[in-house]
Amino acid sequence: MFSIFKNKWNGVIVTTLKGISQVMLIENAVSGFMILAAITIASYSLGIVAFLSSLIGTLIGKIGGANDESINQGLFGYNSVLAGMALSLFLTGNNRWLIALAAAAIAAFVTAAMMHFMRQTNIPILTFPYIILTWFLLLTTYRFVSLNISPTLKPQSLSNWTLDIEGEINWVDGIANGIGQIFFLDYTPSSVLFFIALFWAGWRMGLYAIVGNVAALLTAYGLGGEYSLIFAGLYGYNAILAILAVSAVFKGNSRYGLLTGIIAACLTVPITASIDTWLMPLGLPPLTMPFVLSSWIFLAARKIMPQI
């Protein structure tokens, strides 16, 4: 009896780690452990939130009777991970940990709902559940005293906006921070571990991440973006996810998958700038919506033009 329970628990841990790895579109428990370690060395509290969030999402999927294949792939964990981490960072107060874990649970239900709504399209839901849930919960802070938004997320008036293109050029920081910002981090040792986790899952994953990140850096720089944003990785992380989705994970029989992925990565840059501008009066971050929109465009277009 004990051995049966132990095997089941081990299975849950493995699936939980896969849920963490799925944030970067990987189904690999070892990569998930590396990613968790990278988060934890930057912030042990964020590491705990990431693990518990993935565990909560996984358990809700199991208890709810979701498809075993989806659960075992970690597909009920990654949106919970991002929602839990985002809200633990973007809220203040002692109750933010409880709210973050509650959001991780809700993210599992939103994930299931989105899977149902998009089933007929055969287009992956990606991180859309986490984005919508996080935006909605952050906006509730203006109506409830028990929820307090971080002072770093301040609404700004577009009428007073000026573009600041001053700053130091540091391409190395841009490459490192791009992958780190997927998990809201700008800590170089963590970024190195993230790259190792990708290469562990497959050399193409690691190489494509570098190519997508560099493509985004050059695009943002060429368009005259703010240096501080470019080299903080805020134009890179969506590009990395987009090229992984379009060129590697959902490539299908595409002949020009890598080229399409590079274009998708570059497209995330103006989309990021646009969404960031739209959200400035609300004080909300763009999160991974640029990645979702860019990837959806090319994955949907591939239904009509399968070679792209």
Side-chain angles (χ1 to χ4, degrees):
M1 180 67 70
F2 176 76
S3 62
I4 295 174
F5 176 80
K6 183 179 179 181
N7 289 336
K8 286 185 176 180
W9 180 248
N10 288 340
V12 170
I13 297 299
V14 169
T15 304
T16 298
L17 292 175
K18 286 184 180 180
I20 296 172
S21 73
Q22 283 285 4
V23 173
M24 293 204 292
L25 304 164
I26 304 169
E27 183 192 341
N28 189 295
V30 175
S31 294
F33 179 78
M34 292 181 187
I35 294 169
L36 180 61
I39 297 170
T40 304
I41 63 173
S43 170
Y44 74 90
S45 58
L46 269 185
I48 293 172
V49 169
F51 179 79
L52 290 179
S53 296
S54 185
L55 177 62
I56 289 170
T58 298
L59 291 176
I60 288 178
K62 283 183 173 291
I63 294 170
N67 179 274
D68 286 340
E69 182 179 2
S70 297
I71 296 171
N72 294 334
Q73 289 175 338
L75 298 182
F76 280 88
Y78 70 98
N79 277 295
S80 294
V81 170
L82 289 171
M85 292 182 68
L87 289 165
S88 66
L89 289 169
F90 296 144
L91 295 177
T92 60
N94 294 329
N95 64 344
R96 72 181 187 277
W97 309 110
L98 179 61
I99 296 170
L101 295 179
I106 298 170
F109 294 106
V110 180
T111 296
M114 288 302 304
M115 285 179 174
H116 172 71
F117 292 142
M118 297 190 66
R119 182 179 300 167
Q120 298 301 320
T121 68
N122 201 27
I123 299 293
I125 63 172
L126 304 177
T127 55
F128 188 74
Y130 135 73
I131 298 165
I132 292 301
L133 176 62
T134 301
W135 281 347
F136 270 81
L137 288 177
L138 288 177
L139 287 175
T140 64
T141 60
Y142 293 99
R143 296 293 180 178
F144 299 119
V145 294
S146 59
L147 299 173
N148 299 289
I149 196 167
S150 170
T152 60
L153 299 180
K154 294 181 179 179
Q156 300 181 60
S157 172
L158 291 174
S159 61
N160 298 323
W161 173 253
T162 56
L163 185 64
D164 181 9
I165 57 172
E166 301 295 328
E168 182 180 349
I169 298 177
N170 192 324
W171 296 99
V172 175
D173 280 353
I175 293 173
N177 292 333
I179 195 168
Q181 288 293 349
I182 295 174
F183 296 93
F184 315 101
L185 301 176
D186 58 358
Y187 185 56
T188 300
S190 296
S191 297
V192 172
L193 267 178
F194 291 145
F195 275 118
I196 293 174
L198 279 171
F199 276 104
W200 179 271
W203 66 267
R204 282 187 177 85
M205 299 290 284
L207 180 60
Y208 287 0
I210 294 173
V211 171
N213 197 9
V214 171
L217 283 172
L218 294 175
T219 301
Y221 183 79
L223 291 174
E226 293 177 90
Y227 293 169
S228 60
L229 299 182
I230 295 172
F231 302 113
L234 296 179
Y235 281 115
Y237 70 99
N238 279 292
I240 291 173
L241 294 174
I243 195 171
L244 291 178
V246 175
S247 297
V249 180
F250 305 108
K251 180 183 178 182
N253 297 319
S254 169
R255 178 181 297 180
Y256 308 106
L258 178 56
L259 176 60
T260 308
I262 293 173
I263 296 172
C266 294
L267 185 60
T268 62
V269 173
I271 293 177
T272 297
S274 178
I275 292 177
D276 199 24
T277 303
W278 283 355
L279 295 177
M280 280 175 58
L282 299 175
L284 296 180
L287 303 177
T288 53
M289 184 58 90
F291 146 63
V292 171
L293 291 180
S294 183
S295 299
W296 276 353
I297 288 170
F298 288 95
L299 295 179
R302 194 170 281 167
K303 302 298 180 183
I304 305 299
M305 299 180 289
Q307 294 299 317
I308 66 170

